Amino acid sequence: MKLSIFAKAAAFTFGFTAIGAAAVAQESDQSLLEKLKWKNDMMHIKLDLRTDFVTTFNSNLDDETSFKGQTFKVWLVGKITPNISYRVRQRWNRFSEPLGRDRLSSATDQAYLAFKLCDYFSIIAGKQSVQYGTFEYDYNPADVYLPTLCFDDLDAYKTGVDFVFNVPKHEFHFQIVNSDAPQFATQDYKNKALAYNLLWAGDMLDGTLKTRCSYHLTQKERGDYFNFFTLGLQVNLGAFSTELDYYNGMRMMSISKNPSITYDPVNDPTVKDQSFSANFKYYKDKWGFFVKGLWDQRIDYKADSKAFQDWGLNTGIEYYPLKGENLRVHLVYGHRNTDYKYTFTNKPTEELNSITLGIRWLFKVM
């Protein structure tokens, strides 16, 4: 009888211990899974590549046919804590110019920390994308085949701080960054100039209408600023979408966009650049079709005359063989016509045509 009682007690004790051990083991396994997931979130490595076979033909310049490595970037992205994330994006198909005032290479697009202080407010500090508006600017550059003049001329990555305010379906940015590009700051003031940027990114009617609108002040010299604004509207109707973008700004700039014509950014007259683009897209399953038209104009305010204006057309087809993955094959035709004015009326009208066949992919490799 005593043995029986002892045996029951031992069995009860063993069973209780086994249940407790199982519970501890289960809790340990859950912690281990969380730790593994957390470590996986701490760093991802992405490769961003685009390679094209390009043929150009025009009226004034030699034709060209060649393979081009348009994009080769390595991304490092992840989270240090649930509310602190980071991103580093480095170009490998661009030579690193001498370090700028921020002591970062021009081949480093981004190198920043993002602090989420609450659901409505975040701070981004480090080298980052300048918060310009328009949807053309919001694309990864590898996804833009024919850019507007203003897009191609923006100083897109600068070091500074961005204050981000989020409300349901709307995002507001107030950003302060270095501004030392020659098209904005004078040579004597380039190590002191700052730019101030305001951006509204909106989402209305359940995604049918989206906005990317911004206003910018950038220093030329002490107490002297250039200002410009950008407007972007996107309309989404199922597989169809339309993007209308407009840039308008004044800055110090060469009167000709031709790189063979040199200029003095201090003494050249102030000019106003304008660009407008309309992008019509249809994406269904693995296929995408688009037609994009653009118009650019530069006005010289000192001479009260147009410096040049151009227009362009871009149309193409994209195929995504792996649904849900950013791998595509594209075939694109582009045309651009530039008509010079003012003192460059002796320059003939330039026409540039291009056919591009290429492949682009952005994959997480780790």
Side-chain angles (χ1 to χ4, degrees):
M1 189 69 163
K2 290 182 180 180
L3 183 60
S4 177
I5 293 174
F6 178 79
K8 288 180 180 180
F12 177 79
T13 302
F14 177 78
F16 182 81
T17 304
I19 293 172
V24 171
Q26 184 178 10
E27 182 180 356
S28 177
D29 288 344
Q30 289 176 346
S31 299
L32 179 60
L33 288 173
E34 288 299 319
K35 288 179 180 179
L36 289 174
K37 181 178 181 300
W38 177 243
K39 287 182 179 179
N40 189 48
D41 286 341
M42 287 186 72
M43 185 177 74
H44 297 304
I45 299 176
K46 297 181 180 181
L47 294 182
D48 187 353
L49 294 96
R50 174 180 155 191
T51 302
D52 293 337
F53 180 70
V54 183
T55 297
T56 62
F57 46 99
N58 51 67
S59 57
N60 300 313
L61 302 176
D62 293 335
D63 296 343
E64 180 183 1
T65 301
S66 62
F67 291 95
K68 292 184 179 294
Q70 305 283 19
T71 299
F72 180 22
K73 300 178 182 179
V74 176
W75 300 39
L76 301 178
V77 296
K79 291 185 176 181
I80 301 172
T81 72
N83 294 321
I84 303 177
S85 58
Y86 68 91
R87 176 181 290 184
V88 177
R89 195 171 82 185
Q90 184 76 16
R91 303 189 202 189
W92 291 92
N93 63 327
R94 174 175 179 172
F95 292 107
S96 297
E97 298 173 4
L99 298 182
R101 59 190 286 201
D102 58 9
R103 302 192 62 77
L104 290 172
S105 166
S106 61
T108 303
D109 286 346
Q110 298 169 339
Y112 66 75
L113 286 172
F115 303 88
K116 184 179 179 181
L117 303 183
C118 64
D119 290 340
Y120 306 103
F121 182 55
S122 301
I123 298 177
I124 299 172
K127 191 167 187 181
Q128 56 197 273
S129 296
V130 179
Q131 293 298 337
Y132 295 108
T134 77
F135 288 89
E136 179 190 49
Y137 176 80
D138 197 39
Y139 280 110
N140 186 314
D143 297 326
V144 178
Y145 302 105
L146 185 66
T148 61
L149 168 69
C150 287
F151 172 92
D152 220 19
D153 190 43
L154 293 175
D155 203 15
Y157 307 104
K158 306 302 293 184
T159 299
V161 61
D162 184 17
F163 303 95
V164 187
F165 303 87
N166 290 284
V167 297
K169 297 188 177 181
H170 296 274
E171 190 173 279
F172 300 90
H173 294 254
F174 172 58
Q175 184 185 53
I176 306 173
V177 294
N178 289 339
S179 181
D180 48 8
Q183 65 263 39
F184 297 119
T186 62
Q187 182 67 23
D188 294 336
Y189 201 74
K190 67 177 183 179
N191 290 325
K192 305 175 187 178
L194 296 174
Y196 305 88
N197 310 303
L198 292 172
L199 171 73
W200 165 46
D203 185 335
M204 295 167 284
L205 302 177
D206 294 324
T208 301
L209 294 178
K210 293 185 178 182
T211 61
R212 283 189 59 84
C213 305
S214 62
Y215 177 74
H216 309 268
L217 278 176
T218 183
Q219 287 179 295
K220 170 189 171 185
E221 295 178 313
R222 184 179 301 277
D224 192 358
Y225 292 82
F226 293 119
N227 69 88
F228 57 102
F229 61 88
T230 59
L231 304 174
L233 176 66
Q234 184 184 74
V235 181
N236 299 295
L237 300 172
F240 292 94
S241 65
T242 300
E243 294 163 353
L244 304 175
D245 293 324
Y246 176 66
Y247 307 78
N248 185 307
M250 297 180 63
R251 76 275 306 275
M252 297 294 294
M253 195 64 183
S254 166
I255 200 167
S256 170
K257 70 175 185 176
N258 191 321
S260 66
I261 300 174
T262 60
Y263 72 100
D264 178 353
V266 176
N267 298 317
D268 269 359
T270 300
V271 300
K272 181 174 78 171
D273 287 341
Q274 296 184 84
S275 292
F276 173 79
S277 67
N279 194 8
F280 305 93
K281 304 183 297 181
Y282 176 83
Y283 283 85
K284 186 73 172 180
D285 298 325
K286 297 181 179 182
W287 294 92
F289 307 88
F290 67 90
V291 177
K292 177 182 178 181
L294 58 87
W295 169 84
D296 301 311
Q297 183 186 74
R298 176 166 293 165
I299 297 176
D300 169 15
Y301 272 80
K302 185 176 181 180
D304 192 24
S305 172
K306 296 176 183 177
F308 66 81
Q309 65 182 19
D310 64 19
W311 63 272
L313 178 67
N314 197 210
T315 184
I317 182 172
E318 297 177 339
Y319 174 63
Y320 294 82
L322 303 178
K323 192 172 183 180
E325 296 290 344
N326 203 340
L327 170 66
R328 75 161 185 263
V329 179
H330 49 263
L331 177 63
V332 181
Y333 166 75
H335 172 82
R336 195 160 207 153
N337 180 294
T338 303
D339 186 17
Y340 287 96
K341 307 288 185 180
Y342 187 45
T343 59
F344 295 99
T345 52
N346 60 330
K347 289 178 60 61
T349 297
E350 292 181 0
E351 292 188 18
L352 178 65
N353 299 277
S354 64
I355 297 177
T356 301
L357 174 64
I359 186 169
R360 190 276 170 114
W361 56 285
L362 173 59
F363 284 148
K364 184 176 74 172
V365 295
M366 178 178 171

